[in-house]
Amino acid sequence: MTGKPRTQKSRSAATREALVSAARTLFAARGYADVGTEEIVRTAGLTRGALYHHFADKEALFAAAFEEVEVETNVRILQAVESDGTADPIAAMQLGAAAFLDVCTEPEMARIMLLDAPSVLGWERWTEISNQHNMGLVQALLTRAAEVGRIPAQPIPPLAHTLLGALREAALFLARADDRAQARSDVGAVMDLIIRSIGSA
């Protein structure tokens, strides 16, 4: 009796994962506007019924793909910070910002995360989802920086929002640049300067 619901739940999760995986691959390759639901279900080897059982529409499926990209990006940021082993929260923020900008140079990631997400989901929902995955780390590092005297005592939430806003705009500039290598160098230098400036205490 207890095994059957678990099997059903597992199948449902596998179906959802297949849909999101197929959608993410197609959205990354050609963009949201040029991908239809028929192609997504065909690529996933499923039916339209399966798609609409899990997602209200193509936008909801895109949101799921975007969330997956955000989760993966956050993991890569954490890995970059942790692998360095720095105890300095300002240096850790610089490493995290650099890792995020590196992700943004990858066309497939940038297309979903920066080029399509703001227009498909709207600016407010886009930033809300992004903040859910990134705000915690930024606030934790800023809090630690204040505790060890690396930044002056100040309200942390507005500072975290301001830094994330600057990083988001830097990423948008990078994603839209004709010369991404030059843009990566330029925005990296700008973000380093901004982060260093708040840590000048």
Side-chain angles (χ1 to χ4, degrees):
M1 295 280 294
T2 56
K4 192 172 181 181
R6 241 181 266 126
T7 302
Q8 205 169 14
K9 186 176 180 181
S10 176
R11 285 176 181 167
S12 180
T15 297
R16 188 183 189 281
E17 184 180 342
L19 287 165
V20 174
S21 177
R24 177 178 169 178
T25 299
L26 293 168
F27 290 148
R30 300 208 312 276
Y32 179 83
D34 291 338
V35 176
T37 55
E38 285 288 355
E39 184 179 7
I40 293 170
V41 296
R42 187 168 62 248
T43 301
L46 297 165
T47 64
R48 286 175 64 84
L51 189 154
Y52 290 115
H53 175 75
H54 289 276
F55 300 99
D57 51 25
K58 188 173 81 162
E59 181 182 321
L61 180 54
F62 176 85
F66 170 54
E67 287 237 30
E68 189 176 89
V69 168
E70 282 287 336
V71 168
E72 182 180 315
T73 300
N74 189 251
V75 167
R76 290 168 66 175
I77 291 170
L78 286 170
Q79 287 174 341
V81 173
E82 290 170 358
S83 65
D84 185 87
T86 181
D88 178 14
I90 297 301
M93 273 189 280
Q94 289 177 301
L95 287 166
F100 173 69
L101 293 174
D102 285 344
V103 170
C104 296
T105 64
E106 300 170 18
E108 296 82 4
M109 299 292 275
R111 183 185 286 276
I112 291 176
M113 189 165 52
L114 300 167
L115 300 179
D116 279 349
S119 58
V120 174
L121 303 176
W123 191 271
E124 186 173 346
R125 191 175 178 208
W126 172 58
T127 54
E128 179 186 356
I129 292 173
S130 179
N131 286 346
Q132 285 173 1
H133 294 282
N134 301 303
M135 186 63 71
L137 175 61
V138 174
Q139 288 194 348
L141 289 172
L142 288 172
T143 298
R144 180 61 181 157
E147 289 172 349
V148 299
R150 287 290 277 118
I151 65 173
Q154 60 192 289
I156 296 301
L159 179 58
H161 277 273
T162 300
L163 277 176
L164 275 178
L167 187 57
R168 198 173 287 124
E169 286 295 328
L172 287 170
F173 178 85
L174 172 55
R176 294 167 179 158
D178 293 328
D179 185 344
R180 284 192 180 174
Q182 183 62 51
R184 170 65 186 86
S185 176
D186 292 343
V187 297
V190 169
M191 286 309 305
D192 264 353
L193 181 61
I194 290 172
I195 295 170
R196 276 202 311 272
S197 71
I198 67 165
S200 57

